[in-house]
Amino acid sequence: MFVFAAWNARWVRPGGDDWCFLPVVRDGGLSAMVGKFYFHDNGRLVNAVLVWAYARFGDAGQQWFAPVSGVLILVLLRSFIAAVLSAARLGVPRGVPLLVASMMAALVLFGSPNTYKTFYWPAAAVSHTLPPVFACAAAIPLLRATSRRGEHLALLTVVLTGASLGLLSEETSVVAAAVLACALLISSRIFPEAHRRFLRASCAAGIVSIVIGILILYTSPGSLHRREEKHAATMLNPDSLLASLYGFREIATTVLTTWQYLGAIVAGIILGLLTSDPLGRRAAGKKHGLVAAAGLGTLLVSGYACTVITYPVFGEGVVSSTRLWNDYLLLYILLLVYAGALAGGALRSRVRRTGPVVVAGAVGAAGYALVCVALAASLAGLESNMITRAHDWDRQNRWMHRQAVAGAQVLPYRRLPLSKMTEPFRHGGRAKWPASCIANYYQVRHITQATKLP
């Protein structure tokens, strides 16, 4: 499924914000991109660097982003799961961390109602898909630290990641800070006594560094301009808070009724069944209950906070802009895996015969495969739409380049929407953005709406 999805990335073509990023990088490089974000757009300095990293390769960067980021996400999640199991001293067969991480990555990337924006569109993935994975990755040195030098390296990783998250994604920063604050509150019950001081210091360092990053972003000219333009001060108005609550309720309903997320529970059950020291043992029952309850509370609080932050910008669109959900969906998936692992561990510890355990494992494997088939089927449907747009885009792109080289200053442009990607002349031609960016891309004065392809 991953190979199929990566192969389809060859059909990715610029759209939405890409039209604006590509000319800036082409004409001014990294400094121009950083200046655009810091002084004009939103202040996200790390976001600007990541955009430059793929946009500097033009259309090829757009197409290679999905395969490269998909592999990176899979590797980081696999390393995170392995580190968690190692820190908890839970023995599993060698391939289990990859099995669990694969399902998690598949649900993050392909379980969204809009896979194109989550996985294939770099502008959205950089802001909302990658940051939660980076936050998980920062925990790997913490979980692996066994010496004073390792602890110092882990603290440095946490500080750098926290500050980077603050300059990359406000929503993921909120989720990460909420998780760290929750861990601090229940640290005396969940952290081993020998490492409690170090882990508490790590949580505190992570929160402080996130706040520092957010402050740098918040005081930037770009962030000030964005807040004024989008009336961000209204986010704390009672009407906005209530509308955000209704919006988050709709989002939660959609996520809870998306059956593919059961794949995370199935992966967790398989993990629990194959763990040598069952997760469901009674001695740790209270600790697991506390972690589960705290995790659920953190998910609800941070998810609602993310909706409050984005509501002034997107309005009722926070419900349909599914890429915005990704900032807290990984936490949801982690909790489902945890719940499944507890269930699998409890079954293994309470059933003496191997027969029921084998049957449960077989059912879990079948469920795992079923989710993969369903996700692959949705990818196949998206592929046909991507191919159609790519062919039309290439045809129009060649014609517009020829006209621009011939000296034309006004060019007609046919809208080529895909998966709710922003194209100019929406709403009956009234919404012009990003028409000016498309004109910059082709180096002409402006574009007009065309009714058919050239």
Side-chain angles (χ1 to χ4, degrees):
M1 180 170 59
F2 277 104
V3 171
F4 176 61
W7 180 245
N8 288 343
R10 72 193 190 278
W11 302 116
V12 172
R13 298 295 185 272
D17 299 63
D18 303 329
W19 290 116
C20 299
F21 296 158
L22 291 171
V24 173
V25 174
R26 177 194 65 200
D27 299 335
L30 176 60
S31 59
M33 198 72 238
V34 170
K36 172 180 170 58
F37 271 72
Y38 185 76
F39 292 106
H40 303 290
D41 286 358
N42 47 40
R44 299 173 186 165
L45 292 174
V46 175
N47 198 326
V49 174
L50 293 178
V51 168
W52 167 82
Y54 71 80
R56 63 193 294 260
F57 298 105
D59 296 346
Q62 303 275 316
Q63 294 158 14
W64 277 99
F65 179 86
V68 171
S69 63
V71 170
L72 178 63
I73 288 172
L74 183 58
V75 169
L76 292 179
L77 288 180
R78 188 267 171 202
S79 300
F80 173 72
I81 295 298
V84 170
L85 294 174
S86 176
R89 298 180 180 178
L90 299 174
V92 294
R94 184 174 298 177
V96 172
L98 180 59
L99 183 81
V100 176
S102 296
M103 177 57 73
M104 291 175 59
L107 291 175
V108 168
L109 298 175
F110 314 132
S112 166
N114 194 330
T115 296
Y116 189 86
K117 286 191 173 182
T118 296
F119 180 56
Y120 290 109
W121 188 33
V126 162
S127 301
H128 302 287
T129 305
L130 288 175
V133 180
F134 291 157
C136 283
I140 296 173
L142 292 177
L143 298 169
R144 294 288 192 182
T146 56
S147 64
R148 184 59 60 93
R149 183 177 181 181
E151 290 179 353
H152 290 163
L153 178 62
L155 277 173
L156 178 63
T157 302
V158 167
V159 170
L160 293 177
T161 304
S164 298
L165 285 178
L167 293 168
L168 175 61
S169 172
E170 299 94 320
E171 293 79 27
T172 298
S173 297
V174 168
V175 178
V179 170
L180 292 174
C182 179
L184 270 179
L185 288 174
I186 63 174
S187 59
S188 60
R189 301 285 297 277
I190 63 170
F191 291 160
E193 187 174 355
H195 303 285
R196 192 171 295 165
R197 182 176 179 181
F198 163 65
L199 292 173
R200 283 174 173 172
S202 301
C203 291
I207 294 172
V208 171
S209 61
I210 288 172
V211 171
I212 291 173
I214 286 290
L215 285 176
I216 295 173
L217 181 148
Y218 189 81
T219 56
S220 68
S223 178
L224 177 61
H225 174 261
R226 183 177 176 86
R227 292 198 303 272
E228 292 177 346
E229 183 183 28
K230 302 299 182 180
H231 307 290
T234 62
M235 78 170 73
L236 299 180
N237 290 348
D239 290 343
S240 181
L241 292 173
L242 186 60
S244 299
L245 181 61
Y246 289 146
F248 182 62
R249 184 185 64 183
E250 291 188 43
I251 294 170
T253 300
T254 300
V255 172
L256 289 172
T257 54
T258 301
W259 70 270
Q260 286 88 344
Y261 286 111
L262 291 175
I265 297 179
V266 169
I269 289 174
I270 296 173
L271 171 62
L273 291 174
L274 296 176
T275 300
S276 59
D277 186 12
L279 284 166
R281 60 190 184 277
R282 294 181 181 180
K286 292 183 178 180
K287 176 192 285 189
H288 290 310
L290 175 63
V291 172
L296 179 59
T298 303
L299 173 64
L300 294 175
V301 170
S302 60
Y304 173 62
C306 289
T307 309
V308 170
I309 292 171
T310 53
Y311 188 84
V313 178
F314 293 88
E316 296 180 356
V318 294
V319 176
S320 57
S321 299
T322 55
R323 68 185 186 278
L324 303 175
W325 311 354
N326 295 335
D327 295 286
Y328 48 87
L329 269 181
L330 182 57
L331 176 58
Y332 174 63
I333 293 170
L334 279 169
L335 289 173
L336 293 181
V337 171
Y338 185 57
L342 292 180
L347 175 64
R348 182 176 177 183
S349 63
R350 286 166 174 74
V351 177
R352 296 182 179 180
R353 294 176 298 169
T354 59
V357 175
V358 172
V359 171
V363 172
Y368 192 103
L370 178 62
V371 172
C372 290
V373 170
L375 295 177
S378 67
L379 281 172
L382 176 60
E383 179 197 28
S384 61
N385 294 331
M386 291 172 64
I387 292 174
T388 299
R389 182 180 188 266
H391 287 320
D392 292 342
W393 193 95
D394 289 342
R395 174 182 169 184
Q396 179 165 250
N397 180 57
R398 287 190 297 268
W399 183 86
M400 296 187 75
H401 273 303
R402 287 197 301 267
Q403 296 300 310
V405 170
Q409 290 299 307
V410 179
L411 294 177
Y413 175 82
R414 164 76 183 278
R415 297 184 69 248
L416 299 172
L418 170 68
S419 297
K420 299 182 180 179
M421 290 290 293
T422 305
E423 286 280 284
F425 313 118
R426 305 179 315 281
H427 308 307
R430 296 188 302 275
K432 302 295 184 182
W433 191 87
S436 61
C437 294
I438 296 176
N440 290 337
Y441 182 84
Y442 291 107
Q443 297 178 308
V444 298
R445 200 162 50 244
H446 63 269
I447 64 170
T448 59
Q449 184 175 10
T451 57
K452 60 181 181 180
L453 289 171

